[in-house]
Amino acid sequence: MKSEHSITLSVVAGFVLSALIIVAMAMVIVPSGVRTDLFWPRVLWTIFLSGLVWGASASYFTLSARRKAKHRETGGIAPSLMLVIIIYAVLSFATMLLQAAMPPGEAASRTHLFIQLGLAGASALVLVFLNLARSHAGLGVQTSFEGIASPADLCDLLSAEESRLAAQSEHENWTRCMKSLKSLRETIRYSLPQTTILADDALYRTLVHGIQTSCQTLHESTDPTSDAVVNCIGSIDSLKTETKTLSSKAIRR
């Protein structure tokens, strides 16, 4: 969040500075004696186009600073979105300059308005189609897990339990537990895709519950010779088999 806040402040400062420069340059280039009624509207439109470019830049850089999956997915097309907006701003500005160089008249005004509307409409359509392409490309492969642990979360949980057991006094059962946990963790890491296809799968939910229950049981156990620990080792090995089954199912999809 700090990074995103810093980027936003920098972009706002850049936009304000650009707006001041635009106003100053316009006033220097066009003396007050030759300014028309369209002078200030054109200056304001230039500032607006500058704001679009700065806003697109802000979105591009802040998306990369966010951690949520939905923001990362949008970030995949952020460069294209920014390019479309920059091209639109440049063409719109060039069209405005062209109209300013033409003899004043209704024909020039209508032509200018027609081109501006065409550019805005074409750019809007491109942006819409880019967003649709992102949405359809991401169907079924989103990486946002809501209300259930992701494969990465399970790996972190298993790793934490491995580290805790490593700090216990040496015992054959603790060693077996750590080996089983490590084997299960590596199977999950390299077999299960980080997609929400899993989140809706009943077998995955059963796997998550089994892993969380086993880790909780181990966490509460202090005697390595207890039946709970011995049973936990067998449960973890069974969970590894379930993971492989789930992995094969996900690949077939």
Side-chain angles (χ1 to χ4, degrees), residues 122-196:
S123 300
L125 285 175
V126 172
L127 293 177
V128 168
F129 281 118
L130 282 174
N131 188 57
L132 286 174
R134 176 198 65 81
S135 301
H136 284 285
L139 287 176
V141 295
Q142 294 87 353
T143 56
S144 177
F145 284 75
E146 300 292 341
I148 189 170
S150 68
D153 294 333
L154 295 178
C155 288
D156 290 341
L157 177 61
L158 293 168
S159 180
E161 194 57 31
E162 284 179 64
S163 300
R164 191 191 69 81
L165 291 178
Q168 300 291 325
S169 57
E170 288 192 15
H171 191 280
E172 178 185 358
N173 283 351
W174 288 146
T175 302
R176 289 174 59 195
C177 280
M178 285 187 290
K179 287 182 178 179
S180 295
L181 290 171
K182 180 181 179 181
S183 179
L184 176 58
R185 174 171 55 81
E186 291 178 345
T187 301
I188 292 174
R189 185 178 301 279
Y190 298 114
S191 299
L192 296 184
Q194 187 80 10
T195 68
T196 51

Side-chain angles (χ1 to χ4, degrees), residues 154 157-158 184 188 206-216 239 243:
L154 295 178
L157 177 61
L158 293 168
L184 176 58
I188 292 174
T206 302
L207 177 67
V208 170
H209 180 265
I211 291 174
Q212 292 174 336
T213 301
S214 296
C215 287
Q216 183 65 28
L239 290 170
T243 302

